[in-house]
Amino acid sequence: MRSEKGSICEQHKTAIKNEVVETAIEGVSQAIISLVPFVGELINSTLPNIYSASKKSQFNDFIQSLNKSLKDQQFSEDKFTELTRKLDDPETYKYLSTIIDSVFFSKSNRARAILGIITANYFSSESLPYEDLVIINALKELLDDEIKAFESIYEVAIGGGREDPNGVGAFYFSYYPENVIANTTFSKSLHLGIFGNKANWLTSKSPASWHGNVTSITKKLKYYINLANQNSRSDT
């Protein structure tokens, strides 16, 4: 059995250790508390400026693309007069609000360039087609790398697909675990309505594959991407 003296000694050591730990924790806590006003002031003064500058830059991407597209369409004075009347229509404000929402929350320079092209087309037409509305919503979610991956998937789909009676191309998308960007892009594109699908996951194939469809929305997004690419090359 341990002696009473030894037990008291251990208790004393434990008490000292606990006191040291508590003192250290209190010191760290006080250091953090003293930093809070500084960090708060830094956040309040810096982050709004960063956010504002970022949003201005993003909006500028969109405006540059819109201007380029309007020039390419040779926007005449008559069209401008018609546009002025169109802007008085509440329906126009609704569509423009949807587009601008996607511009501000987009995560891609290419997406914003495409949104500028879509807006220019809308200014020159009677209405905004359903395909464009789906694309506008999708562009809010897609990254630059995912738009690039979409182009690659599209080429594979067109090259290896077959025309079905409804005039859309059916194809198989092979799932390779190491191809993270392509897999994510195809999954997001299905969810966002860019590719159509029959919801059948073909695990019997090797590698496992999705059965997808190239729809009118798919083709229209590829068309807009091609226009944005052309505009980008002409600016360099």
Side-chain angles (χ1 to χ4, degrees), residues 54-71:
S54 174
K55 292 305 175 186
K56 285 179 182 177
S57 176
Q58 291 175 5
F59 195 68
N60 189 53
D61 294 338
F62 165 72
I63 292 298
Q64 286 183 348
S65 176
L66 174 59
N67 286 340
K68 176 73 168 59
S69 299
L70 291 175
K71 287 179 182 178

Side-chain angles (χ1 to χ4, degrees), residues 28-228:
V28 172
S29 298
Q30 289 299 323
I32 292 173
I33 290 171
S34 68
L35 278 175
V36 167
F38 171 74
V39 173
E41 183 179 347
L42 180 66
I43 291 173
N44 288 334
S45 63
T46 303
L47 288 189
N49 293 333
I50 294 174
Y51 184 81
S52 177
S54 174
K55 292 305 175 186
K56 285 179 182 177
S57 176
Q58 291 175 5
F59 195 68
N60 189 53
D61 294 338
F62 165 72
I63 292 298
Q64 286 183 348
S65 176
L66 174 59
N67 286 340
K68 176 73 168 59
S69 299
L70 291 175
K71 287 179 182 178
D72 290 345
Q73 292 180 15
Q74 298 180 343
F75 214 69
S76 65
E77 187 175 341
D78 289 343
K79 285 185 177 180
F80 183 78
T81 302
E82 177 61 30
L83 174 59
T84 303
R85 286 196 294 267
K86 190 174 186 177
L87 289 174
D88 290 331
D89 185 352
E91 191 79 358
T92 302
Y93 274 93
K94 182 183 74 173
Y95 286 140
L96 288 179
S97 295
T98 300
I99 293 170
I100 291 171
D101 178 72
S102 287
V103 170
F104 279 131
F105 290 98
S106 65
K107 306 164 183 66
S108 159
N109 293 333
R110 298 181 77 188
R112 291 186 285 274
I114 295 167
L115 288 166
I117 293 170
I118 292 174
T119 306
N121 286 352
Y122 172 52
F123 284 167
S124 302
S125 61
E126 294 297 323
S127 62
L128 198 61
Y130 172 74
E131 288 89 347
D132 285 6
L133 288 171
V134 174
I135 291 170
I136 289 166
N137 179 65
L139 288 172
K140 184 164 52 176
E141 305 296 333
L142 295 174
L143 305 173
D144 278 328
D145 285 344
E146 291 170 341
I147 292 177
K148 184 176 180 180
F150 165 82
E151 293 182 89
S152 299
I153 295 170
Y154 181 88
E155 295 303 326
V156 171
I158 294 298
R162 62 182 187 278
E163 290 294 320
D164 70 13
N166 295 320
V168 294
F171 68 98
Y172 295 114
F173 173 77
S174 299
Y175 179 87
Y176 293 96
E178 67 276 11
N179 200 348
V180 176
I181 294 178
N183 296 336
T184 302
T185 301
F186 185 72
S187 177
K188 285 176 75 171
S189 296
L190 287 175
H191 175 71
L192 293 168
I194 298 301
F195 284 113
N197 78 98
K198 297 181 180 178
N200 52 338
W201 175 242
L202 306 174
T203 54
S204 59
K205 293 175 69 68
S206 182
S209 302
W210 274 106
H211 184 184
N213 287 323
V214 174
T215 68
S216 59
I217 296 172
T218 318
K219 293 178 179 180
K220 199 160 192 184
L221 175 57
K222 184 60 168 65
Y223 167 74
Y224 284 140
I225 291 173
N226 289 344
L227 284 180

